[in-house]
Amino acid sequence: MPELSHRRRLLVLAICCMSLLIVSLDNTVLNVALPSVQRELHASVSGLQWTIDAYTLVLASLLMLSGSTADRIGRRRVFKTGLVLFTLGSLLCSLAPNLESLVAFRMVQAVGGSMLNPVAMSIITNTFTEPRERARAIGAWGAVVGVSMAAGPLVGGLLVESVGWRSIFWINLPIGLTALLLTWRYVPESRAPKPRRPDPVGQLLVIGVLGALTYAIIEAPVAGLTSPRILSFAAVSALSLVGLVLYEPRRAEPLIDLRFFRSAPFSGATVIAVCSFAALSGFLFLNTLYLQNVRGLSALHAGLYMLPMATLTFLCAPLSGRLVGSRGPRLSLLVAGTAMTASGLLFGTSDAEATNALLFTGYVLFGLGFGMVNAPITNTAVSGMPRSQAGVAAAVASTSRQIGGTLGVAVIGAVLAGGVVGAASSAAYTASFTDASRPAWWIITACGLCVLVVGALTSGAWARGTARHTAERLEPAGAQTSAGTRS
């Protein structure tokens, strides 16, 4: 990549942040619109789950493939393709005549989205080569997630209330087109000198694990846990996982290097990413349906109700980043796990939803916890890794976030669907929803507790030692492929 002026580098950063904004904003905005989608398209709870999970599932499956493809054929080329697909998918979603079409168009969006985040991060790290400048750039990149969390419920509620749920996809169109034109004009092309080879078998096995498992979880409440269809998909997921574990170590350049998991910080970051984002997606899914379908709030009022959670996330994210930089990830992870666990306990052991003071307390606690957890995930994942392997480790952490989001909606939605099925009247729906939400809140509590325990276990001296030993084993391979894996 040619040397760019300071102003040009800042413009490249702004373009990359625009892509992250539309990808991050998409799900938070859509959550507020779910009840409106449910009414207009006559969707069941499982149908709503698929509108979220079709996106996160495809995103999780293709993130690493998109990153390696961009290294091989050109980052700008893949980034522009991603912007085109995401913008086109957004337009199609706004025109979807039924639920099946909406789910299919969400998958088109996700294919484009998978080409944006990892490729944009690679462009940033290759544009900002000085360590301090790069740290500031990545900090700005991370702050965009906080902005999307804070703005999503409010923007979504305002659009749904004033124009309708289809308008939430329109906001992606001007941003996507602007980012596309600016990318074509100002972002230089770059490739890795020695890109990683494709791993189509590994990619198919990953899709088999995630796709079959998600289908089995979402459809189980309706089809039954012991139905042949659900058991078949569960078996496909299990066999795909076994195949992945057996196949990947045999490749010189695997899609997922299983040796990474010998590092306790890396394994811990993967588990924490899955649990924290499962808790977030389940939290948003549960509360959106509760506030609008049970309390009868409008989409705008529901967005305003959830603003305390989003605001705390926005405020705590940069604070957590500074804490990780000065004191390491341990304190941030302990605070995050404690706050998320406390929020889940509050909702799971009381009628907090019925009292605004307790409801907002739970929202503040969850926002505090999630705001603190995001920054240390990537830091912990790359802790002690050779520089040549840091990009791959960060990509696995990003994939783990999306897997967590997928499983959170699948599991929480399945628990909820199992409890509200057959509720014919509004009063019966309200009563069954409240009862069904109890085990869902306990699942969210368990996710928070897992963040706390795993964070404590994988951020101490012993864990750092396993990271050093893992780095020593990986260094010879990393030296050979450093250019291809750096992002």
Side-chain angles (χ1 to χ4, degrees):
M1 179 179 287
E3 186 65 28
L4 304 178
S5 67
H6 178 67
R7 181 175 295 181
R8 180 83 172 268
R9 290 199 298 274
L10 290 180
L11 183 57
V12 171
L13 174 62
I15 295 166
C16 291
C17 286
M18 288 169 70
S19 73
L20 177 63
L21 179 64
I22 56 176
V23 172
S24 301
L25 198 62
D26 197 70
N27 263 346
T28 55
V29 170
L30 179 59
N31 265 284
V32 180
L34 287 178
S36 298
V37 174
Q38 186 178 33
R39 287 190 293 271
E40 181 173 329
L41 301 184
H42 309 291
S44 62
V45 173
S46 64
L48 296 181
Q49 288 172 271
W50 279 118
T51 63
I52 300 290
D53 275 357
Y55 180 84
T56 56
L57 179 61
V58 173
L59 201 62
S61 299
L62 299 182
L63 276 173
M64 297 187 70
L65 173 65
S66 296
S68 61
T69 302
D71 284 343
R72 191 163 51 254
I73 69 173
R75 297 183 180 108
R76 187 178 75 155
R77 178 183 298 179
V78 172
F79 189 69
K80 288 194 298 182
T81 303
L83 286 169
V84 169
L85 285 174
F86 190 88
T87 305
L88 175 62
S90 298
L91 176 62
L92 292 173
C93 286
S94 72
L95 302 173
N98 51 51
L99 184 70
E100 293 77 15
S101 300
L102 180 60
V103 170
F105 297 150
R106 289 279 288 163
M107 295 174 75
V108 175
Q109 267 192 310
V111 174
S114 73
M115 300 179 186
L116 297 180
N117 285 9
V119 180
M121 177 56 74
S122 186
I123 291 172
I124 288 173
T125 54
N126 281 275
T127 299
F128 295 87
T129 54
E130 196 273 320
R132 184 172 296 182
E133 257 197 338
R134 179 182 292 181
R136 290 198 192 103
I138 293 175
W141 163 268
V144 173
V145 178
V147 171
S148 69
M149 281 293 301
L154 190 57
V155 171
L158 188 61
L159 287 172
V160 172
E161 189 77 8
S162 59
V163 185
W165 67 265
R166 296 178 186 276
S167 64
I168 65 173
F169 297 106
W170 297 346
I171 60 176
N172 296 331
L173 305 184
I175 300 175
L177 290 173
T178 301
L180 179 63
L181 292 173
L182 291 174
T183 301
W184 175 77
R185 178 67 179 83
Y186 294 107
V187 176
E189 185 61 279
S190 64
R191 295 178 178 83
K194 189 178 184 302
R196 293 168 62 82
R197 290 182 295 174
D199 181 7
V201 175
Q203 184 64 57
L204 288 174
L205 289 172
V206 167
I207 293 172
V209 172
L210 299 179
L213 178 62
T214 303
Y215 182 90
I217 294 173
I218 290 178
E219 298 298 329
V222 176
L225 282 173
T226 58
S227 72
R229 177 158 52 100
I230 299 303
L231 292 177
S232 297
F233 275 91
V236 168
S237 179
L239 290 173
S240 297
L241 179 60
V242 171
L244 193 68
V245 171
L246 294 177
Y247 175 77
E248 289 297 281
R250 299 175 182 272
R251 285 186 57 86
E253 293 181 354
L255 183 71
I256 303 173
D257 194 333
L258 299 180
R259 294 177 299 172
F260 284 3
F261 291 95
R262 296 174 183 172
S263 164
F266 178 85
S267 297
T270 302
V271 173
I272 290 167
V274 171
C275 290
S276 59
F277 275 76
L280 172 69
S281 60
F283 181 95
L284 293 174
F285 189 83
L286 199 59
N287 274 282
T288 296
L289 295 180
Y290 169 76
L291 291 173
Q292 295 187 56
N293 288 352
V294 177
R295 279 209 173 190
L297 299 179
S298 67
L300 177 58
H301 286 154
L304 289 170
Y305 261 64
M306 295 179 71
L307 204 54
M309 183 274 291
T311 302
L312 262 291
T313 298
F314 174 69
L315 294 176
C316 291
L319 172 63
S320 178
R322 287 193 291 271
L323 277 175
V324 171
S326 61
R327 302 185 60 177
R330 188 178 183 86
L331 180 59
S332 290
L333 290 173
L334 295 181
V335 172
T338 301
M340 293 172 75
T341 303
S343 176
L345 281 172
L346 180 64
F347 287 116
T349 58
S350 67
D351 292 325
E353 300 100 322
T355 308
N356 281 341
L358 290 177
L359 185 74
F360 290 142
T361 300
Y363 287 176
V364 166
L365 285 171
F366 193 89
L368 167 65
F370 188 76
M372 296 297 288
V373 79
N374 204 21
I377 288 175
T378 300
N379 177 277
T380 307
V382 303
S383 175
M385 290 287 180
R387 289 186 62 189
S388 59
Q389 300 284 357
V392 181
V396 174
S398 296
T399 301
S400 300
R401 290 180 175 96
Q402 298 302 327
I403 292 172
T406 302
L407 293 179
V409 171
V411 173
I412 297 299
V415 170
L416 196 60
V420 300
V421 167
S425 66
S426 176
Y429 180 89
T430 299
S432 60
F433 189 100
T434 302
D435 292 338
S437 68
R438 291 284 177 263
W441 281 116
W442 281 109
I443 293 170
I444 292 173
T445 302
C447 288
L449 187 61
C450 187
V451 171
L452 175 62
V453 173
V454 175
L457 291 175
T458 59
S459 59
W462 165 79
R464 289 192 293 272
T466 65
R468 285 193 298 271
H469 294 317
T470 301
E472 291 167 2
R473 296 189 186 101
L474 291 172
E475 190 60 54
Q480 294 171 9
T481 61
S482 57
T485 58
R486 187 177 295 123
S487 59

